[in-house]
Amino acid sequence: ELAKLFNEEFGINCELEIIQTDGWNRDLYFDETDLPWVIPSPNMPTVDTAIVFPGTVYFEGTQVSEGRGTTRPFEFIGAPYIDPDSYGDVLQTLQMSGVTFRPTKFLPTFQKFQNEVCGGVFVHVTDRDIFEPVITGIAMVKTIFDMYPNDFAWKQPPYEYVYDRNPFDVIAGTTKLRESFENGFTIDEIKESWREDENQFAVMREKYLIYSN
């Protein structure tokens, strides 16, 4: 589906043949198929990781640990200066759909804060069918940004293959999200700012869908 969309909407216009998968629809999670989970990355060990990753990946663009160096990367989030109970309590008041935040402490064995005790939360998805990973991850970053203004920091370049841009901006694809934090936008205002683009994409994608629910 994405290949078809990219080919036409981005003017690639290559000769493209799609071989449709049998027995799958877009409501299925990977563990609802009969296929074995093969780790696509050392830091993507489980289906649970993949579910939270679209949101907690934003922490790669900060100086907050995204749980690398633990057994549950992208589910453990924290830093040495964070009080886990206070952070967890604030996150719970946001009432994000399908998720609860368990205050915890963890000890990364490599990367950010190696061998330092980090306070933070474990992201526990309670209903993955209503969980919204992206806005949840953004809310988690913004909460630390607001709670610990003297400690929170953006990661500095380089990041992956980019050497001259703010890593958070690279992940977000734009400077707008970081600037919305810095300008005091609320979570609801940030989410609402996407609405027009989301509606346009929903219309555009329809003609490329090949799998039914």
Side-chain angles (χ1 to χ4, degrees), residues 1 3 13 53 57 79 102 136 153 176 207 210:
E1 293 175 344
N13 299 320
F53 177 83
V57 69
R102 296 178 176 175
T136 299
K176 291 180 180 179
K207 60 182 176 180
I210 58 178

Side-chain angles (χ1 to χ4, degrees), residues 1-2 4-5 20-30 32-33 128-129 201-202 205-213:
E1 293 175 344
L2 284 173
K4 290 173 61 180
L5 186 150
Q20 187 169 338
T21 299
D22 290 331
W24 183 85
N25 66 61
R26 67 185 65 259
D27 287 337
L28 291 177
Y29 284 87
F30 200 92
E32 295 173 328
T33 72
R128 61 190 184 182
D129 292 327
F201 180 75
R205 73 194 281 266
E206 280 296 320
K207 60 182 176 180
Y208 302 109
L209 300 183
I210 58 178
Y211 298 103
S212 61
N213 290 327

Side-chain angles (χ1 to χ4, degrees), residues 160-180:
E160 302 286 353
Y161 48 83
V162 179
Y163 297 89
D164 59 352
R165 291 178 58 199
N166 181 296
F168 189 85
D169 296 347
V170 174
I171 296 167
T174 174
T175 63
K176 291 180 180 179
L177 183 57
R178 175 177 53 82
E179 290 166 351
S180 72

Side-chain angles (χ1 to χ4, degrees), residues 44-212:
M44 187 71 67
T46 68
V47 174
D48 291 336
T49 321
I51 291 170
V52 301
F53 177 83
T56 52
V57 69
Y58 285 104
F59 282 100
E60 286 192 358
T62 74
Q63 296 294 1
V64 176
S65 172
E66 66 275 12
R68 290 178 185 267
T70 75
T71 57
R72 303 303 290 261
F74 298 103
E75 294 177 88
F76 282 123
I77 301 296
Y81 57 82
I82 293 175
D83 177 74
D85 292 317
S86 298
Y87 181 44
D89 286 346
V90 174
L91 290 176
Q92 289 297 106
T93 65
L94 300 179
Q95 298 183 315
M96 308 304 292
S97 300
V99 63
T100 191
F101 304 95
R102 296 178 176 175
T104 189
K105 292 184 177 181
F106 60 92
L107 186 74
T109 59
F110 57 82
Q111 291 210 358
K112 295 174 187 172
F113 307 119
Q114 180 178 0
N115 297 324
E116 293 185 59
V117 175
C118 293
V121 295
F122 180 82
V123 184
H124 179 71
V125 176
T126 56
D127 187 341
R128 61 190 184 182
D129 292 327
I130 63 171
F131 175 56
E132 297 179 290
V134 174
I135 193 61
T136 299
I138 289 170
M140 293 177 68
V141 177
K142 186 180 186 304
T143 298
I144 300 175
F145 180 92
D146 291 343
M147 289 181 69
Y148 300 97
N150 296 325
D151 298 293
F152 179 90
W154 304 110
K155 184 176 176 63
Q156 297 303 305
Y159 172 72
E160 302 286 353
Y161 48 83
V162 179
Y163 297 89
D164 59 352
R165 291 178 58 199
N166 181 296
F168 189 85
D169 296 347
V170 174
I171 296 167
T174 174
T175 63
K176 291 180 180 179
L177 183 57
R178 175 177 53 82
E179 290 166 351
S180 72
F181 288 8
E182 295 170 347
N183 290 324
F185 284 35
T186 66
I187 297 300
D188 287 340
E189 288 171 333
I190 291 170
K191 188 175 182 179
E192 181 62 28
S193 72
W194 306 340
R195 189 175 301 278
E196 183 176 348
D197 287 341
E198 287 178 326
N199 291 340
Q200 291 176 357
F201 180 75
V203 173
M204 180 180 69
R205 73 194 281 266
E206 280 296 320
K207 60 182 176 180
Y208 302 109
L209 300 183
I210 58 178
Y211 298 103
S212 61

